[in-house]
Amino acid sequence: MTRRMTLPENFSQRYKTMPRLFRAPGRVNLIGEHTDYNDGFVFPAAIDFYTQVAAAARPDRKLVVYSENYREEVEINLQNSALKARKHWSDYVCGVALMLLADGHEIAGANLLIESNVPLGAGLSSSAALEVAVASALLGISGASMAPLRLAQLCQRAENDFVGARCGIMDQFISVHAKPDTALLLDCRSLEYQVFPIASGYALVACNTMVKHDLASGAYNQRRAECEEGVRLLAEFLPNVHALRNVTAEELERYRKKLPDTVLKRCRHVVTENERVIQSAICLRNHDTAGFGRLMAESHRSLRDDYEVSCAELDLMVEIARRAEGVVGSRMTGGGFGGCTINLVRSEYVPQFRDMVSAEYHKQTGRLPEIYISRPAGGAEEIPTSGVALEA
Ligand code: GLA
């Protein structure tokens, strides 16, 4: 039986040099959706699915990038001042490289080989994993380094300003800062975080609906704009409010008549979701799994009814999961409009959970869902490659 080549081996065959190897994980978010860009709270954990980048410097100012997932090579000339996003996987690589340069890092030209097992476009943060892995690789082979928070912010900037998605900081932050066996409660305003152990008897199970509705990126930016509109209108009465983070449920109720219906619903989701994140942290501390599960369910309802970023397939996946044994909680995770649900499941029930959800979802939709099982993983890192090429 022939062994599959490792990424470094593959690299040395393609580029005739040995690379260094870097990786960054995807993530799930336990609770706190669409709160990050409202200066609120999120509760993500990294998953054991990674984007890996093998990299070595080149003598010129080019990035030659091959993606194993897309089976495609792209050449980026770092001296070209007119580089623009073109709705292509390489936009993330290009955006990160340009942000590093703009930030004053003399990054080297490089050969890169990229491979990811983070499901692409499934709401598990494949973009942030790619950005963070590429940034770590380019810095690493250029002999440069950057504080973790700055690295996350730089990658977010690449996505905001180059790719054109107005995402918050959650995905890049967790991909950089994650610690094994924990979830991070992150305050997206102060960027301070607390580490919460996830007991060893639980698994993070992401169920992929296998649908991605086209409106996702446009609707995401639109939701952000609706939140900003809410802040603008509320600030007329509450001058200290600069983000929905500062609005309480009582204040929102008091001024509800001042807001258009849609804006009110968006604000209500964000305000109540922030409260749910704080409550869920208390539940986790007190080992109150039932309470945690109820908050996940409320979060899903709020995303479905008030924020309107769920879809029939996500709702169905959550419904099915709730009937399964050993499930603490289930809700959509990530931006929405398709992609995955996150399920916190007692480890011993995972096999039967997987079989039941697969069969039932398939029966009702004709689609076979992919199901990803993970413990909370660690953040971005360099993987030593010494000896890799010699492995039997
Ligand atoms: C996407 C964005 C994040 C966050 C979530 C929704 O994953 O990249 O910044 O806004 O959606 O919670």
Side-chain angles (χ1 to χ4, degrees), residues 30-31 43 280-281 283-284 288-296 328 344:
L30 293 178
I31 191 162
F43 214 156
S280 71
C283 288
L284 215 54
D288 175 8
T289 47
F292 196 88
R294 269 196 302 278
L295 291 162
M296 286 178 80
V328 171
L344 193 57

Side-chain angles (χ1 to χ4, degrees), residues 40-111:
F41 300 96
V42 292
F43 214 156
I47 49 174
D48 227 347
F49 291 77
Y50 295 87
T51 297
Q52 298 200 71
V53 177
R58 294 171 55 96
D60 57 17
R61 303 288 294 137
K62 276 190 210 155
L63 299 180
V64 176
V65 194
Y66 186 83
S67 161
E68 287 287 349
N69 299 81
Y70 293 98
R71 306 218 158 271
E72 192 185 4
E73 183 176 278
V74 168
E75 217 177 273
I76 299 167
N77 181 353
L78 292 174
Q79 279 163 329
N80 175 0
S81 53
L83 291 169
K84 285 210 170 51
R86 53 189 182 107
K87 298 202 184 317
H88 191 260
W89 61 265
S90 62
D91 289 351
Y92 298 97
V93 181
C94 195
V96 161
L98 292 183
M99 290 303 155
L100 285 168
L101 289 172
D103 206 48
H105 295 274
E106 272 307 312
I107 54 165
N111 291 325

